[in-house]
Amino acid sequence: MARRGCWRTAFEVNKVLLSLDPVQDPYGALLTLDFHALKSKQYEYVCQFVDGWTWSSVELPNLAYSRALAGFMREGGAGKRGSAQKQGRQDADRRSSASSTDLLVEAILTFPTVVPPLISKANIDVDPVVLTHPYFQDEHIPDSSELTHMQLVVQLFVERHSSLYRTPETGRWLQEGLVLALERIALMESTGLDDATTGRYQDAKRRLCTYVIPENISRHVLVADMESMKAGLPEQIRSAESFAFDPLPPKDSINVYDEFLGMGPAADRIPGGFVDIDGEMVDLEELQQGGEGYIARLIDRLRRNLGIAGEEGVIVDPGTSEDESDQGDDVPE
């Protein structure tokens, strides 16, 4: 839907997907909900959602930055700033967007490693010296083949959301927030005091700078079909069993077809063995010779499940009556 530009439809489907399990969020719907809402111009929804989200304590860079961007768009930032030609009008617009700029500064201080890749991806003109500030540098863990949890969610955000920051008005707003964030950082360095925002950053860095990637984030990467990020997933995730219809099935999943495929509990106890539908071990020699007895038991079980009465081992066509069966040989020439 998103590839066809049906943003509002994608947004509504995203909401339904999240509502199915808002606590576990097995497909990482939180990573795309804000993007689809912004593309469908649901700015009020983004602000209310991020402020009122209580189902889980997860902190994600896309929610922090999108709340600020939604506030900027809600204030009419793009329209007003695009038409502002005089300095007085620009100053008035800057004052009107103070709230969204404050939110942007908070997002930058909480997730500073977003800044360099976002600036680069969105083609925003910023002094390169600014991006070399130690506060914006990624936490290096000695393993270049895999991505940390923080690196993964940051790259997901940048790859998906960078197009939203490519307008001149949004670029100037981002530059303004970056300057204010640097002023806050300089103040903290000179006083030696940290505020609540940098405290959240330190907490997020401790929790997310790990190679332990949650299952729902890994599943989201597989569904999103981002090849560059698939290579950064842990080896056990890349080599795990996965299907197009069920990417990365959970370890406690229940497959309703296992009963008929012979994947019962006894199969785990005997190497190479599997059980039939009644929990009894299957005679492998019988299967190699055609497995007629096993197939007959399977059909009998299916008939019982469908409520079709009949003698065991006798196949009855549920759509044919006894009279029709008896007359089957009396076919006129």
Side-chain angles (χ1 to χ4, degrees):
M1 290 175 285
R3 291 178 180 177
R4 294 180 177 271
C6 303
W7 298 115
R8 183 57 187 265
T9 304
F11 168 59
E12 297 297 339
V13 171
N14 205 153
K15 287 198 297 183
V16 172
L17 183 62
L18 179 61
S19 68
L20 296 177
D21 191 350
V23 177
Q24 301 297 329
D25 189 19
Y27 281 95
L30 277 175
L31 295 168
T32 55
L33 181 64
D34 58 299
F35 175 73
H36 291 144
L38 290 171
K39 293 294 288 186
S40 56
K41 304 186 188 305
Q42 303 300 307
Y43 308 128
E44 183 72 28
Y45 176 87
V46 175
C47 296
Q48 293 180 355
F49 177 84
V50 177
D51 291 337
W53 178 251
T54 58
W55 284 97
S56 64
S57 58
V58 64
E59 281 195 76
L60 296 170
N62 58 298
L63 296 183
Y65 280 83
S66 291
R67 180 178 65 164
L69 181 59
F72 174 71
M73 301 304 293
R74 221 173 87 191
E75 294 163 356
K80 288 183 179 180
R81 295 194 176 196
S83 60
Q85 299 295 330
K86 297 181 180 180
Q87 185 64 37
R89 180 65 178 275
Q90 291 176 347
D91 293 341
D93 290 336
R94 189 173 295 108
R95 287 193 299 271
S96 69
S97 62
S99 177
S100 65
T101 304
D102 290 341
L103 293 174
L104 177 61
V105 171
E106 182 178 343
I108 292 174
L109 294 176
T110 306
F111 297 100
T113 56
V114 168
V115 173
L118 180 60
I119 292 293
S120 175
K121 192 78 173 179
N123 296 321
I124 298 174
D125 186 18
V126 174
D127 188 349
V129 177
V130 172
L131 302 181
T132 61
H133 193 285
Y135 195 81
F136 299 132
Q137 302 309 304
D138 202 354
E139 185 78 11
H140 290 290
I141 300 179
D143 190 338
S144 59
S145 62
E146 298 179 1
L147 298 174
T148 65
H149 188 179
M150 175 72 84
Q151 291 170 333
L152 194 60
V153 293
V154 166
Q155 286 195 24
L156 281 169
F157 166 71
V158 172
E159 287 292 328
R160 184 174 286 122
H161 291 67
S162 60
S163 60
L164 300 174
Y165 294 84
R166 289 176 179 164
T167 64
E169 300 79 27
T170 309
R172 287 193 293 269
W173 170 72
L174 187 58
Q175 289 174 323
E176 180 182 343
L178 182 57
V179 170
L180 294 176
L182 287 170
E183 292 177 356
R184 286 265 295 273
I185 294 171
L187 179 62
M188 289 184 293
E189 290 177 346
S190 62
T191 60
L193 299 176
D194 293 340
D195 59 11
T197 302
T198 55
R200 284 200 301 274
Y201 162 60
Q202 296 297 334
D203 179 62
K205 187 168 69 170
R206 283 192 297 269
R207 289 186 296 104
L208 300 182
C209 285
T210 171
Y211 285 106
V212 180
I213 309 298
E215 192 176 71
N216 66 329
I217 302 294
S218 300
R219 190 179 294 113
H220 179 88
V221 173
L222 295 176
V223 173
D225 197 25
M226 296 181 177
E227 295 298 331
S228 60
M229 295 183 196
K230 286 182 183 179
L233 291 174
E235 174 61 28
Q236 62 269 27
I237 297 296
R238 298 198 305 269
S239 60
E241 185 180 38
S242 186
F243 308 96
F245 61 88
D246 188 11
L248 201 62
K251 296 180 177 61
D252 59 349
S253 64
I254 299 175
N255 191 335
V256 296
Y257 298 104
D258 283 349
E259 180 182 15
F260 296 103
L261 294 177
M263 301 302 291
D268 299 330
R269 297 195 295 269
I270 301 179
F274 62 97
V275 299
D276 68 5
I277 53 179
D278 294 316
E280 300 177 357
M281 289 303 300
V282 173
D283 187 346
L284 297 181
E285 292 184 1
E286 178 185 354
L287 285 179
Q288 292 173 357
Q289 296 173 3
E292 295 180 359
Y294 175 73
I295 294 174
R297 291 195 300 273
L298 176 61
I299 294 176
D300 182 66
R301 176 64 177 274
L302 290 172
R303 287 171 47 241
R304 292 201 304 268
N305 289 343
L306 295 173
I308 304 172
E311 297 180 2
E312 185 174 357
V314 179
I315 302 175
V316 178
D317 184 353
T320 305
S321 65
E322 293 183 2
D323 293 339
E324 292 174 332
S325 179
D326 293 338
Q327 298 173 2
D329 296 333
D330 299 332
V331 179
E333 298 180 358

